[in-house]
Amino acid sequence: MTCEAVVLWMHGGGWYSRETSDVSWLERLGLKVVPAQFRLSGEALWPAQFEDVRAAARAARVAGAPFIVAGDSSGGHLALHLGLRGIDRPGDVDAVMAFEPPVDPLAEDWPRARAEGNPWHRLLGHVPAPRDPATRDCTVTTHVGGGTPVLLLHGLDDTAVPPTQSLDLAAALSRAGHRVHTLTTDGDHGELEFTRGDIVEFVRQFLDRIGAASA
């Protein structure tokens, strides 16, 4: 019999602060939620955050249980990296759920991501730039492939992270052969109501399709 699915949850906060989110709605879906801790950008630069969540995932995995990585905002960015690149190797994560994630700091429609002092600047230690190895490494679309199922949820009214970050990623994932479930809905950044019926049902259907829904 399959064990209760485990979700490693990564908090938001622009990589420089710790924003707490109420994840009890995930627990009500029958998931065991484990919070991940990682160094903030004021403590260490990228890829320290990715290294930390990889270590947290190794500690959180349970033998025989589906293992999902999830996060909100910058935590969604880390969840995507972990899910697409793997804990120890690509394909060793069962699914990813990313809510309003920043994905690509070089996107043409997001010039603010390349402004001095923005969260990406703090994360990398310099402004994101083309042909910069660290920028390329932290860009999620660099690592698509492998087929890990991905759920993306983004608010259409998001003024902090453009919804095109999720929509463009969904297209790239689909082209690379991933099963992608995408929902855009009303709401600004940090204001999505995860307990809303349509959002809960959207997540529930994703869990059912990847075999992680509660009995």
Side-chain angles (χ1 to χ4, degrees):
M1 183 175 181
T2 303
C3 299
E4 177 185 37
V6 176
V7 174
L8 183 70
W9 177 263
M10 279 143 275
H11 65 76
W15 306 285
Y16 64 85
S17 66
R18 293 183 174 90
E19 292 187 359
T20 57
S21 299
D22 182 3
V23 293
S24 60
W25 66 280
L26 289 172
E27 294 171 339
R28 289 194 292 273
L29 286 171
L31 305 171
K32 178 183 178 182
V33 182
V34 179
Q37 296 298 322
F38 55 88
R39 283 168 288 179
L40 301 177
S41 57
E43 301 168 321
L45 300 178
W46 181 266
Q49 296 72 24
F50 180 43
E51 294 167 355
D52 290 349
V53 296
R54 265 184 160 166
R58 293 186 185 106
R61 284 183 295 188
V62 175
F67 189 73
I68 302 167
V69 294
D72 182 36
S73 190
S74 55
H77 168 266
L78 292 175
L80 286 162
H81 273 279
L82 188 54
L84 297 177
R85 302 171 74 172
I87 303 166
D88 298 307
R89 63 187 182 282
D92 61 4
V93 171
D94 292 301
V96 186
M97 298 192 297
F99 306 98
E100 53 193 9
V103 169
D104 181 3
L106 298 182
E108 292 184 6
D109 65 345
W110 198 15
R112 191 167 58 180
R114 299 177 292 282
E116 291 280 345
N118 76 86
W120 288 103
H121 183 181
R122 297 186 188 189
L123 179 67
L124 297 174
H126 56 265
V127 172
R131 295 179 294 280
D132 168 57
T135 300
R136 177 176 172 79
D137 186 61
C138 78
T139 299
V140 174
T141 48
T142 303
H143 308 286
V144 299
T148 304
V150 178
L151 176 148
L152 295 168
L153 174 66
H154 217 116
L156 288 169
D157 308 305
D158 198 323
T159 55
V161 178
T164 48
Q165 289 281 289
S166 285
L167 293 173
D168 290 346
L169 175 61
L173 287 166
S174 182
R175 287 193 299 269
H178 292 264
R179 183 188 305 171
V180 190
H181 300 252
T182 310
L183 175 64
T184 54
T185 186
D186 296 335
D188 198 351
H189 198 80
E191 296 181 2
L192 293 176
E193 298 178 16
F194 295 123
T195 56
R196 219 172 65 193
D198 60 330
I199 292 178
V200 171
E201 185 57 26
F202 173 65
V203 175
R204 189 194 307 277
Q205 289 180 11
F206 176 74
L207 294 173
D208 183 61
R209 288 170 184 169
I210 64 169
S214 60

